[in-house]
Amino acid sequence: MYLKQSDSPASLQLSSQRKRDLLDHFETNGDELDRWRQFNVAYHEDDLKFMRFLIPPGKRVLELGCGRGDLLAALAPSHGVGIDFGAKTIARASQQHPGLHFVLGDVEDPATLAAIEGPFDYIVIADTIGMFEDIDGTLSLVQRLCAPSTRIIISYYSHLWEPVLNLAELLHLRSKQPKINYIATADFLNLMDLADLEVISQEQRQLLPRRWLGLGPFINRFIAPLPGIRQLCLRTYLVGRPVRHFPDRKFSASILIPCRNERGNIESAIQRMPRFGSSQEILFVEGNSSDGTFEECERVRNAYKDSWDIKVLKQDGKGKGDAVRKGFAAATGDVLMILDADLTMPPEALPKYHAVIETGKAEFVNGTRLIYPMEHEAMRPLNLIANRCFAYLFSYLVNTRLTDTLCGTKVLLRKDYEVLARERAYFGNFDPFGDFDLIFGAAKQNLKIVETPIHYKARTFGETQISRFRDGWLLLKMVWFAYRKLKAI
């Protein structure tokens, strides 16, 4: 039962002396801890800002070890539940944040979590995991409160900072803290694996947790997230998801084919299209071609109307990004897929991409042309070198290994795309390619991203519409844009 403001809770009976000591520390020193929060306000503001970046407002959020509920309230959930073992703390939280729900209980007690009604969009464990006595066991209990789309956010101190934090206590720059578990990130990854959770992304923040006349915020925003340097940061954030597989799930598919001056490939795309999923629709989005591509799309639609559900749309704007947005807005399938009209990515490979989403192995699939050998002249040498360099940069930016961000094949659930579209204002209409709008949006949503290799073929009709130098400059601008939006928060 959720604690109401009028309730007068009794003290909780805890199972171990360590927990009783922790409870005594936080209940006795609550007001003093508030004063220390004000003293170290720069550190707490940066932490809060990044948590709000990870968790959009209006979500269902559960916080394990919520204290006085300040973090939970700052996340502006549509439904927020906090659990803590301090009776005074919970009463104070309920008084300060009457719109939220608070539970007096031990988060490691199965009975406490069994009384909570889920599922939640996000489950937050902010610093309290260092006080758990059975980390993997508690994370396993959390599974019953998860949907497949639930994200678990764990934040904690880097074990490298333990000597620095101990020194800060001696110098009276930090409140006296109870003894906690300083656990390396590799150990957390192992514990999450034991609990059938997988890590989607990992981020480090705060190299200088003080203002120092504005120097601290500048360093923390622009310098601390850089490769190598970020390993030295104070705060680590892990984003995980429950491991769920659905071998018998069946999804319909919408296959989007953006096409401009690709008249000779239109009918071949239909003739080579395999059957997969519970049903399929094909959407040609034509980009104001000069070679009769639109008329060919209409001819093919009419010629194959008895065997395929084909829609033909004409772009209002320019560029592949505009075509993708128009096509996906009109799609009705469960799974959204992009097939480039040049057919250098074979249509015959689409079923395995669909299967990755359908079985729950991932939530966003990116094709890569850089694993298998390519056909002769399928990609020019300078393009290949540039792709390798940009792959490294974008892998760092989205915390996921990507070898080929410009491969046209992208696959995701329509429900995830709809969230991405609603939250597109965070990035804006910045992407003429269409690839990065989806990749950055998937990263911002903390979707599970995987790459699937394709056998990249040479063109059989038409010429590439990519300008190496013009588009290379756009990619450099995209790197800086992504750094500001995904790293320099």
Side-chain angles (χ1 to χ4, degrees), residues 329-359:
T332 61
D334 300 315
V335 178
L336 305 182
M337 317 181 76
I338 302 174
L339 175 68
D340 282 346
D342 60 13
L343 304 186
T344 54
M345 168 4 207
E348 294 84 356
L350 286 175
K352 72 174 182 179
Y353 286 84
H354 184 269
V356 172
I357 299 291
E358 194 172 54
T359 58

Side-chain angles (χ1 to χ4, degrees), residues 216-417:
F218 176 82
I219 289 176
N220 290 332
R221 183 178 181 187
F222 293 104
I223 307 301
L226 292 173
I229 296 176
R230 62 179 178 163
Q231 307 301 325
L232 304 175
C233 286
L234 168 62
R235 302 286 287 158
T236 299
Y237 300 83
L238 297 179
V239 180
R241 71 163 190 160
V243 177
R244 305 275 176 86
H245 295 310
F246 306 93
D248 300 321
R249 187 165 65 177
K250 296 298 180 185
F251 279 153
S252 58
S254 293
I255 303 147
L256 168 64
I257 306 179
C259 48
R260 182 174 181 271
N261 295 327
E262 299 283 1
R263 180 177 54 84
N265 289 323
I266 302 302
E267 187 166 21
S268 181
I270 299 300
Q271 291 173 339
R272 294 173 56 185
M273 185 68 64
R275 298 282 184 178
F276 58 91
S278 60
S279 64
Q280 292 167 265
E281 68 173 355
I282 298 172
L283 301 100
F284 288 105
V285 182
E286 193 277 328
N288 300 297
S289 305
S290 58
D291 69 345
T293 297
F294 182 75
E295 291 74 18
E296 176 67 2
C297 290
E298 291 189 314
R299 185 193 71 79
V300 168
R301 177 194 61 194
N302 296 333
Y304 292 87
K305 63 182 179 180
D306 293 333
S307 54
W308 287 99
D309 179 8
I310 301 174
K311 298 180 176 67
V312 179
L313 308 172
K314 181 179 281 287
Q315 275 186 252
D316 304 307
K318 295 181 179 180
K320 181 182 173 183
D322 178 77
V324 169
R325 289 186 286 274
K326 187 176 184 69
F328 279 179
T332 61
D334 300 315
V335 178
L336 305 182
M337 317 181 76
I338 302 174
L339 175 68
D340 282 346
D342 60 13
L343 304 186
T344 54
M345 168 4 207
E348 294 84 356
L350 286 175
K352 72 174 182 179
Y353 286 84
H354 184 269
V356 172
I357 299 291
E358 194 172 54
T359 58
K361 293 178 181 177
E363 294 151 323
F364 184 93
V365 187
N366 183 68
T368 175
R369 302 162 291 178
L370 305 180
I371 302 298
Y372 300 130
M374 301 180 188
E375 285 191 348
H376 180 60
E377 295 183 349
M379 184 180 294
R380 290 173 289 187
L382 190 58
N383 290 24
L384 180 61
I385 294 171
N387 264 327
R388 297 286 192 190
C389 294
F390 283 116
Y392 170 80
L393 291 172
F394 286 114
S395 295
Y396 152 70
L397 290 167
V398 301
N399 289 321
T400 301
R401 176 171 167 77
L402 295 174
T403 61
D404 189 10
T405 54
L406 286 177
C407 178
T409 307
K410 305 282 190 293
V411 184
L412 74 164
L413 286 169
R414 180 162 57 90
K415 69 178 183 66
D416 290 329
Y417 176 77

Side-chain angles (χ1 to χ4, degrees), residues 6 44 46 82 99 111 128 146 151 178 183 303 317 341 355 386 395 397 408 417 466-467:
S6 60
H44 291 291
D46 187 280
T128 51
C146 295
R151 294 297 176 261
I183 303 176
S395 295
L397 290 167
Y417 176 77
I466 295 175
S467 170

